[in-house]
Amino acid sequence: MVQTYLEKTSMVDVEKRIAIELRGVKKHFYDSDENVIQVIKDITLDIKEKEFISIVGPSGCGKSTMFNIIAGLMEPSEGNVKVHGESIGSSTGHVGYMMQKDLLFPWRTILDNVSLGLEVKGIAKKEREDIALEYLAKYGLADFAKAYPATLSGGMRQRVALIRTLAIDPDIILLDEPFSALDYQTRLVLEEEILGILRDFGKTAVLITHDIGEAIAMSDRIAVMTQRPTSVKKIYDVGLAKRLGSGMKARADQRYNEFFENIWADLDIQIGRSS
Amino acid sequence: MEMIQVENVTKQKIRKVKRKSTPILFINLCRLGIILGLLAVWELAVRFQMINPFLMGSPSGIWEESVRLVQSGQLFTDMFATVYGTIFGFVLGSLLGSIIGLLLWYSKTFANIIDPFVVALNGLPKIALAPMIIIWFGSGMFSKIALASIATFIVALLSAYQGTHQIDSNLINLMKSLGATKGQIFKKVVIPSSLPWIISAFRLNIGFALIAVIGGEFISSDKGLGRMIFVAGNLFNLNVVWVGVLTLMAVAIILYVGVSKMESRLIPWEASNKQREN
């Protein structure tokens, strides 16, 4: 896996095919008095294949709604979402996701949790367990195959959740604040691990977060969102992690601070004002 | 490796806790002492004619009656009839109720339609149905089973249905994103995540089933511990009443322990949760 600087940068630039296409996506809800609450004003965004894009916005801006729409769990009120050119409804299985809550099934062992997606797809027991074990072994969790999630630490559970996502081999991985329940050290380690995995498997990743630092450390691009009703305010080309080889190096880079200041200014978060 | 270490640590902790608390042997001796003390006081009070054994019974009289009832086999016949009716009714009512309660997850509309009926039936003390059941089905085993089933059915249904409402919707969304069918979601999420609720209803239900059976036996029955207690009570044979009550107590304990054991079998992940909390 030794790559020159040029090869790495070319990896960033070469992939121009579009993985997810959001066109004029709007979303509104109705409250109990039938008033319209507009959550997403208008989002048009192309997420390129194999890129790592972060969606950063002030809290409550509608990031989770966006997540639900991209994951195919919610229909947009207007506009459309295409995954690899196909409408989202028919594309279940292409998008794997990971949330702040690990969503491991407490009644399933780690092995059975990891093989869940394969089980749903109807793959035979022997085969799916072999696949799951292979992944678990790869990430140092083979000893816990027969354990129940309750016996694992938060970081390990989140790692299992990631492996479960990978086991179904989705082209696109959606990450919805997957680290925010973890302590800082574990978070840094997992960030690094995920970057490594995404690189190895060549996945497209969408990270939804309010953590500006995390977004800069991991992303190729960052889409900064406005307050609710939200839309894309600005897109930054970052690519520090890919160029420098790790999220840690990205955090130590001079440009990290510049991005941070700019994005912070864009978010226009007013301290003391409840949003 | 780490897992084994963790287990060792927990075990050590438990041992330490145990060492600090009073030894179980001592506690059990105290309990035995209380029982023997009470029996001795009772017996002495009878011997010295401080209480009337005709109204209270006496330990020695209870013992004599127990020996007689065991030797004649009458006690076992009655006990068997009660236990049999309780277990069958419990299993039938609880299973049927749980299954229907779970299936209600499939259709909100249907659940909505039957909701008031369930509430009405739940509020009714089921023993009130005993006279009718006995008129329809006679004073044999079938009536006992029917009563216990009815008494447990609604509790199981409500509990299972409530269980399906407590499911983390994120888990269902996850299944949807994996392309799961409704049947798969039912089997892999709805049933297992409702199981703790269903099992907790089982623990209540074993008691309800016993109450229903004994109540039915009080009203009319050819055998059973309830009938034994009721008949002996009418004859002022207090010693036999005591034998019946004590046997019933033993039966209740055994049934309850049995259901608790079933719990750890059916939901092993809860056991590992508890272990972690320790």
Side-chain angles (χ1 to χ4, degrees):
Chain A
M1 280 296 289
V2 183
Q3 280 173 323
T4 63
Y5 175 80
L6 262 177
E7 273 170 335
K8 277 181 193 163
T9 39
S10 67
M11 261 175 65
V12 179
D13 300 329
V14 157
E15 295 295 343
K16 293 292 185 199
R17 290 171 59 201
I18 292 167
I20 308 173
E21 193 183 315
L22 296 144
R23 285 279 170 278
V25 170
K26 294 172 192 178
K27 183 75 190 176
H28 52 256
F29 297 102
Y30 295 95
D31 70 2
S32 49
D33 300 326
E34 301 284 310
N35 297 318
V36 177
I37 297 171
Q38 207 182 4
V39 178
I40 295 175
K41 192 159 82 185
D42 191 351
I43 296 178
T44 296
L45 182 67
D46 286 337
I47 294 166
K48 293 171 214 154
E49 222 162 71
K50 294 184 188 174
E51 82 166 331
F52 189 119
I53 187 165
S54 287
I55 291 165
V56 178
S59 39
C61 78
K63 293 192 293 280
S64 291
T65 308
M66 212 174 147
F67 165 88
N68 282 323
I69 289 174
I70 296 174
L73 300 170
M74 206 183 258
E75 297 259 323
S77 308
E78 275 177 57
N80 58 65
V81 182
K82 283 182 176 170
V83 174
H84 295 301
E86 281 175 59
S87 229
I88 199 101
S90 57
S91 70
T92 43
H94 286 291
V95 180
Y97 66 78
M98 191 175 159
M99 294 174 82
Q100 180 184 337
K101 284 171 88 179
D102 53 63
L103 299 184
L104 296 179
F105 291 14
W107 52 86
R108 285 173 165 252
T109 60
I110 298 304
L111 182 67
D112 290 343
N113 263 295
V114 170
S115 44
L116 176 70
L118 302 167
E119 194 179 318
V120 169
K121 289 205 162 76
I123 290 165
K125 190 176 164 73
K126 177 81 177 69
E127 195 182 334
R128 65 179 188 245
E129 285 190 348
D130 285 348
I131 296 170
L133 266 175
E134 201 177 303
Y135 275 102
L136 284 170
K138 190 165 181 191
Y139 297 102
L141 287 163
D143 290 345
F144 299 94
K146 296 280 172 224
Y148 286 105
T151 57
L152 268 62
S153 70
M156 285 163 92
R157 291 165 62 117
Q158 208 51 302
R159 204 171 280 146
V160 174
L162 175 65
I163 296 172
R164 177 186 56 195
T165 309
L166 291 172
I168 55 165
D169 197 25
D171 307 323
I172 299 155
I173 295 183
L174 264 176
L175 305 160
D176 186 8
E177 306 199 355
F179 313 117
S180 51
L182 303 173
D183 60 85
Y184 194 63
Q185 281 92 334
T186 312
R187 185 188 295 203
L188 292 183
V189 171
L190 264 181
E191 273 179 27
E192 219 59 77
E193 216 170 276
I194 287 185
L195 280 174
I197 289 165
L198 295 171
R199 205 183 300 134
D200 292 351
F201 289 88
K203 306 279 186 200
T204 307
V206 183
L207 171 69
I208 292 175
T209 183
H210 60 254
D211 186 330
I212 304 170
E214 191 170 276
I216 302 168
M218 297 180 79
S219 312
D220 299 324
R221 288 196 303 159
I222 296 176
V224 181
M225 313 302 291
T226 64
Q227 298 273 9
R228 203 173 76 186
T230 199
S231 58
V232 180
K233 187 172 192 178
K234 214 168 189 179
I235 293 179
Y236 287 87
D237 280 306
V238 185
L240 290 177
K242 219 162 247 179
R243 248 174 280 157
L244 302 170
S246 88
M248 283 305 265
K249 284 183 186 152
R251 281 178 192 270
D253 196 87
Q254 170 60 35
R255 280 161 292 182
Y256 176 90
N257 291 324
E258 286 169 24
F259 280 122
F260 200 104
E261 275 169 32
N262 288 332
I263 293 170
W264 177 257
D266 288 335
L267 286 180
D268 189 27
I269 294 163
Q270 315 214 345
I271 292 160
R273 199 194 80 185
S274 60
S275 56
Chain B
M1 262 314 277
E2 259 179 88
M3 186 63 168
I4 295 161
Q5 279 168 358
V6 169
E7 265 174 24
N8 281 342
V9 170
T10 341
K11 272 181 193 153
Q12 273 169 9
K13 267 187 196 160
I14 291 165
R15 248 179 249 139
K16 266 181 204 160
V17 171
K18 272 189 183 162
R19 229 173 264 151
K20 269 183 220 159
S21 61
T22 325
I24 190 78
L25 181 69
F26 176 75
I27 295 199
N28 279 335
L29 278 175
C30 286
R31 287 168 178 163
L32 191 65
I34 292 173
I35 295 170
L36 290 176
L38 274 176
L39 288 175
V41 169
W42 186 358
E43 185 66 30
L44 284 173
V46 171
R47 294 276 159 101
F48 288 102
Q49 295 181 338
M50 290 158 76
I51 57 171
N52 184 352
F54 182 69
L55 293 179
M56 306 291 283
S58 72
S60 57
I62 295 171
W63 174 252
E64 276 163 29
E65 288 295 345
S66 322
V67 172
R68 186 180 65 78
L69 287 167
V70 167
Q71 275 170 353
S72 71
Q74 187 61 40
L75 186 64
F76 296 114
T77 312
D78 285 328
M79 192 169 81
F80 180 74
T82 300
V83 169
Y84 190 81
T86 305
I87 291 181
F88 258 72
F90 162 76
V91 170
L92 203 70
S94 299
L95 275 187
L96 225 63
S98 303
I99 291 167
I100 293 175
L102 285 172
L103 287 175
L104 288 179
W105 174 80
Y106 268 99
S107 170
K108 274 221 171 84
T109 315
F110 184 67
N112 219 346
I113 291 170
I114 69 159
D115 184 68
F117 302 112
V118 173
V119 171
L121 265 179
N122 186 45
L124 178 77
K126 260 63 79 183
I127 200 68
L129 300 173
M132 270 189 285
I133 299 279
I134 288 164
I135 289 168
W136 294 336
F137 302 116
S139 55
M141 185 56 72
F142 194 85
S143 285
K144 288 191 224 279
I145 295 175
L147 267 171
S149 305
I150 293 168
T152 53
F153 175 79
I154 295 289
V155 177
L157 185 149
L158 277 175
S159 201
Y161 185 58
Q162 266 164 19
T164 65
H165 278 270
Q166 312 290 334
I167 301 168
D168 185 347
S169 59
N170 283 315
L171 295 185
I172 290 174
N173 279 340
L174 179 75
M175 288 295 282
K176 281 186 191 156
S177 84
L178 293 170
T181 60
K182 204 162 184 186
Q184 280 176 320
I185 294 174
F186 183 70
K187 205 175 125 205
K188 296 183 204 300
V189 181
V190 175
I191 293 178
S193 77
S194 307
L195 257 187
W197 272 267
I198 291 172
I199 300 288
S200 72
F202 282 6
R203 243 181 296 149
L204 290 175
N205 268 345
I206 193 73
F208 289 148
L210 197 55
I211 292 170
V213 168
I214 296 295
E217 287 172 351
F218 271 21
I219 292 167
S220 169
S221 180
D222 49 4
K223 48 183 177 275
L225 288 173
R227 178 190 159 284
M228 175 180 161
I229 293 168
F230 188 74
V231 171
N234 280 341
L235 300 173
F236 274 66
N237 191 347
L238 266 291
N239 288 328
V240 173
V241 171
W242 275 112
V243 175
V245 169
L246 294 173
T247 311
L248 198 51
M249 210 186 272
V251 165
I253 291 171
I254 290 166
L255 290 176
Y256 189 81
V257 169
V259 171
S260 299
K261 285 261 183 301
M262 197 170 72
E263 176 174 7
S264 50
R265 273 281 179 82
L266 280 174
I267 40 180
W269 66 91
E270 291 280 311
S272 64
N273 275 348
K274 277 172 199 154
Q275 193 191 343
R276 199 183 179 213
E277 277 158 22
N278 287 336

